[in-house]
Amino acid sequence: GAATTGEVRLIADDGPDAVALTDGSGNFSLAVEATGDYTPLLIPTATTLAPHLGAKAKGAAFVGASFDLPGGAAVSGSIVDGAATAIAGARVVLRAGALPSGPGTSNAAGAFTLYAEPNSYTMSFGADDWPQGSIGGVVVPAGGASVSIAYTIARVAVGGSVVGDDGTTPVAGARVTLTARPLANV
């Protein structure tokens, strides 16, 4: 019942999504195709509320519509390394198709809390200097859940440089991503 700031994304079945940010009163305005099919995804700014994926409807059905965020369930947990040392700054998110959870970031003790609607998710996580990992089949019931993540994999520092096609000119600001086989022992 309270006004909520955040993003309203009407996911189009065909064509571009319609996206708007709400103002301080929870109001927004966007353009849709009246006969197009859209699924509303509401992503609140507050990390204590879970994103919500609504029911698909025609664009015309959203004219003057009000949306409710059910709040979601708390998912708390911790993330440690193979020696049970807390990992701070790890980012954790759940995803079930188009529906994400709210974000979670571990504190100095390795603890995190995020909010998600009851569903079955894939959990993705990672921290600076640690490989990204994911775990499927994470079930969040209405009462919430607790998850423990342990990296039991050895890390290897990788360094290098990015140069232009001439082989010598440094390229500043390049983003480098290394992709590995699935991390079975996380």
Side-chain angles (χ1 to χ4, degrees):
T4 302
T5 60
E7 179 180 307
V8 176
R9 177 176 294 269
L10 298 182
I11 302 170
D13 276 6
D14 186 30
D17 294 349
V19 181
L21 296 176
T22 64
D23 63 19
S25 299
N27 296 315
F28 65 94
S29 177
L30 48 76
V32 296
E33 184 176 328
T35 60
D37 289 320
Y38 297 90
T39 303
L41 174 60
L42 310 171
I43 304 173
T45 303
T47 59
T48 56
L49 293 172
H52 174 70
L53 190 65
K56 182 188 300 187
K58 297 290 184 195
F62 296 113
V63 174
S66 290
F67 298 98
D68 289 323
L69 288 170
V75 177
S76 59
S78 63
I79 185 163
V80 298
D81 66 13
T85 302
I87 298 175
R91 295 162 303 282
V92 183
V93 68
L94 300 170
R95 184 167 294 281
L99 177 63
S101 68
T105 302
S106 63
N107 62 19
F112 64 88
T113 299
L114 56 83
Y115 290 83
E117 290 195 331
N119 209 331
S120 180
Y121 294 90
T122 296
M123 175 181 279
S124 297
F125 53 90
D128 292 345
D129 299 327
W130 288 91
Q132 300 290 314
S134 64
I135 301 169
V138 176
V139 176
V140 176
S146 180
V147 179
S148 296
I149 302 168
Y151 275 104
T152 56
I153 188 169
R155 296 183 295 162
V156 177
V158 177
S161 61
V162 177
V163 297
D165 58 4
D166 64 3
T168 58
T169 305
V171 176
R175 181 176 179 161
V176 177
T177 302
L178 300 177
T179 304
R181 62 181 168 73
L183 304 173
N185 53 350
V186 172

